[in-house]
Amino acid sequence: MKKTIILIFALGLIFSTQVFSQDKPNPTEPSRLTGYFSVLNPLVKFSGGETTNNFSDGYVIGFPSGFVLMGKSNKAGFIFELVPLIQFSEGSSRMANLVFNPGVQFHYPKGWNFNALLSFESSGRYGFTPVISKTIKTGQFSSWFVTVPMPVRFGNDDPGSLEFALQLGVAF
């Protein structure tokens, strides 16, 4: 756990530093910071030749939250996300895992986004998570979105895995 905290702190420092080109930044065009909260429902997992759905041995739900620091062009930005996962099984519940997802978000026309995330789990697994998202409703101060995360994981002496999930959230 101590190594995980040190890793999160180190990556936070790396992603919080400002990098400028030779041109001076224009102070009239600030970067935009967007926060979000969402609910994640894992659907199916493929690992070691087996297929497991989320309801086979209980139920897992996640609560991804984080922020995106968009660049001045508003086409790409850095994303910093934490995902606590809660597992319900045999009449009890517990926090099963905490996932740290730093990465990059790319914006496309008509509310489409693509996130390229590195992933580090408190369970000892690691990998990457490509995410496709779509803004479904935009308001004055917030917007609703739906995403399809596809976590790919390795490590901990377990076979590699690919998972598909569905996520619904609000950005503000």
Side-chain angles (χ1 to χ4, degrees):
M1 183 68 178
K2 188 175 180 180
K3 289 180 183 179
T4 304
I5 292 170
I6 292 170
L7 177 64
I8 290 171
F9 180 74
L11 289 171
L13 286 176
I14 291 168
F15 284 108
S16 67
T17 59
Q18 292 183 348
V19 178
F20 298 105
S21 64
Q22 291 180 350
D23 297 331
K24 292 184 179 179
N26 184 346
T28 62
E29 297 176 11
S31 299
R32 189 179 86 218
L33 183 65
T34 302
Y36 64 91
F37 177 79
S38 54
V39 177
L40 173 75
N41 184 44
L43 299 174
V44 64
K45 181 178 184 177
F46 306 98
S47 178
E50 296 182 13
T51 302
T52 310
N53 70 46
N54 190 17
F55 301 99
S56 60
D57 295 324
Y59 177 70
V60 176
I61 189 168
F63 299 97
S65 58
F67 61 86
V68 180
L69 179 61
M70 294 303 298
K72 293 181 169 87
S73 69
N74 205 29
K75 293 184 182 201
F78 290 105
I79 189 168
F80 178 91
E81 177 180 81
L82 289 174
V83 185
L85 294 166
I86 299 173
Q87 181 177 20
F88 300 90
S89 179
E90 299 177 9
S92 67
S93 62
R94 67 182 181 93
M95 186 169 149
N97 208 356
L98 179 65
V99 184
F100 171 56
N101 289 323
V104 182
Q105 183 175 81
F106 300 97
H107 285 234
Y108 296 97
K110 300 184 181 180
W112 287 96
N113 299 306
F114 176 75
N115 299 347
L117 306 174
L118 295 174
S119 299
F120 306 95
E121 297 186 359
S122 61
S123 68
R125 293 192 43 96
Y126 60 91
F128 59 94
T129 305
V131 180
I132 298 170
S133 71
K134 171 77 167 111
T135 302
I136 53 176
K137 182 171 173 69
T138 303
Q140 184 176 359
F141 300 107
S142 63
S143 61
W144 289 90
F145 61 90
V146 63
T147 72
V148 178
M150 296 161 277
V152 176
R153 299 292 187 266
F154 309 99
N156 242 11
D157 295 326
D158 290 330
S161 65
L162 168 65
E163 193 168 348
F164 290 93
L166 188 61
Q167 181 177 333
L168 177 66
V170 61
F172 43 90

